[in-house]
């Protein structure tokens, strides 16, 4: 069973803090993603990574950075948290192997509140 | 850029009835995947059904089926014999059939199932 685990389910941080959201997957997937989910806006891609140390900007990368030092772990970093980054953050992973449908597996989400 | 549009922010259905959720997408690619994901109140995003664009036959998974119209770029989800457990947010998603795919999501449809 594929498992994507996010380090926190709920998180409250202060404005200006540096915030780390961690995500670990156990299926040896090449691709990993960070999405932000807001009501009425669906899921918007922040960053994705298709290999260790590789990263690509998604649709809304401003204010975020990522790190992928190991294949199984993908971290989202808010360098200086702001109230407009209060949101639900979803991590996902998928394989690059052709024929397997590129189904993405998701973590349970981290609801981040910046006060 | 690829876009996915879900025109129904909310839908409701009576238990045991059938409901259809709409999705349209825009792409210039010929090979791609389309997905419907379900996100119940528990927040865990799970795959409901997947369609490969090169397959003409509509995908079916038990009570869930799709109507895939490639020329019209339409991908609707039909839920038959609706159950209370079907209540959730439903997201339509697109992925290019390449090696390092990313999922592009619609804004979601909230489905309510009335007893």
């Amino acid at each position: 069973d594929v498992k994507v685990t996010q380090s926190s389910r709920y998180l409250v941080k202060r404005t200006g803090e540096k915030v780390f959201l961690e995500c670990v997957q156990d299926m040896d997937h090449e691709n990993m993603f960070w999405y932000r989910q807001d009501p009425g806006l669906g899921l918007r891609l922040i960053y994705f990574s298709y290999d260790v140390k590789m990263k690509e900007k998604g649709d809304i990368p401003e204010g975020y950075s990522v790190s992928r030092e190991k294949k199984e772990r993908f971290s989202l970093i808010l360098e200086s948290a702001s109230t407009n980054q209060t949101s639900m953050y979803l991590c996902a992973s998928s394989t690059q192997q052709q024929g397997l449908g590129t189904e993405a597996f998701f973590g349970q989400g981290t609801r981040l509140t910046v006060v | 850029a690829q876009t996915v549009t879900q025109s129904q922010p909310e839908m409701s259905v009576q238990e045991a009835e059938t409901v259809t959720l709409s999705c349209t997408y825009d792409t210039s690619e010929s090979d791609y995947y389309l997905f419907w994901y379900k996100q119940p109140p528990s927040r865990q995003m799970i795959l409901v059904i997947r369609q490969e664009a090169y397959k003409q036959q509509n995908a079916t998974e038990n009570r869930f089926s799709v109507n895939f119209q490639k020329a019209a770029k339409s991908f609707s989800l039909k839920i038959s014999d609706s159950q209370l457990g079907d209540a959730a947010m439903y997201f339509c998603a697109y992925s290019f059939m390449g090696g390092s795919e990313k999922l592009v999501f619609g804004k979601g449809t909230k489905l309510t199932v009335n007893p």
Side-chain angles (χ1 to χ4, degrees):
Chain A
D1 227 21
V2 175
K3 198 167 183 183
V4 179
T5 303
Q6 294 183 228
S7 54
S8 303
R9 194 163 168 84
Y10 298 94
L11 211 53
V12 180
K13 295 292 182 180
R14 294 196 178 278
T15 302
E17 274 193 79
K18 190 169 186 176
V19 181
F20 292 86
L21 303 184
E22 307 284 347
C23 176
V24 177
Q25 51 95 2
D26 65 359
M27 273 298 289
D28 202 35
H29 283 171
E30 297 85 0
N31 303 325
M32 294 189 76
F33 310 87
W34 276 106
Y35 288 89
R36 171 176 170 159
Q37 183 179 7
D38 298 288
L41 297 178
L43 277 73
R44 294 179 291 168
L45 182 64
I46 304 172
Y47 269 97
F48 72 101
S49 168
Y50 52 88
D51 201 353
V52 175
K53 296 191 186 294
M54 305 303 289
K55 60 184 179 184
E56 296 246 355
K57 292 180 180 179
D59 301 316
I60 51 164
E62 297 78 19
Y64 304 94
S65 62
V66 291
S67 171
R68 193 165 180 203
E69 296 296 319
K70 294 185 178 181
K71 191 175 185 180
E72 67 271 18
R73 186 180 297 270
F74 191 37
S75 302
L76 179 69
I77 303 155
L78 287 66
E79 295 289 342
S80 177
S82 64
T83 54
N84 62 14
Q85 293 178 309
T86 291
S87 186
M88 172 75 74
Y89 291 88
L90 291 172
C91 175
S93 71
S94 69
T95 182
Q96 292 180 11
Q97 294 181 48
Q98 293 299 317
L100 296 183
T102 70
E103 174 188 354
F105 295 85
F106 285 82
Q108 281 208 295
T110 296
R111 186 172 295 282
L112 172 67
T113 302
V114 182
V115 297
Chain B
Q2 293 83 10
T3 58
V4 176
T5 302
Q6 293 177 249
S7 59
Q8 308 150 315
E10 296 189 25
M11 293 279 286
S12 63
V13 64
Q14 291 296 124
E15 200 174 0
E17 299 284 303
T18 295
V19 64
T20 299
L21 308 184
S22 302
C23 174
T24 58
Y25 59 95
D26 188 25
T27 183
S28 57
E29 305 293 343
S30 58
D31 290 329
Y32 49 87
Y33 294 104
L34 294 165
F35 306 86
W36 278 99
Y37 281 86
K38 170 185 177 181
Q39 187 183 42
S42 67
R43 299 186 341 211
Q44 182 67 56
M45 190 85 77
I46 56 175
L47 179 69
V48 174
I49 200 165
R50 166 177 50 228
Q51 174 80 42
E52 291 89 342
Y54 62 86
K55 289 186 177 178
Q56 293 188 341
Q57 187 171 5
N58 289 325
T60 299
E61 289 287 341
N62 300 314
R63 298 183 294 106
F64 298 87
S65 61
V66 298
N67 183 4
F68 174 49
Q69 303 288 330
K70 191 172 185 179
K73 296 181 181 175
S74 170
F75 182 61
S76 61
L77 175 70
K78 186 171 84 171
I79 306 174
S80 304
D81 186 25
S82 297
Q83 300 175 1
L84 295 177
D86 295 333
M89 284 291 291
Y90 286 82
F91 291 96
C92 179
Y94 163 99
S95 174
F96 172 57
M97 193 178 288
S100 55
E101 307 87 353
K102 58 178 181 179
L103 280 176
V104 178
F105 285 86
K107 294 183 178 180
T109 297
K110 182 179 180 181
L111 178 66
T112 301
V113 180
N114 301 308

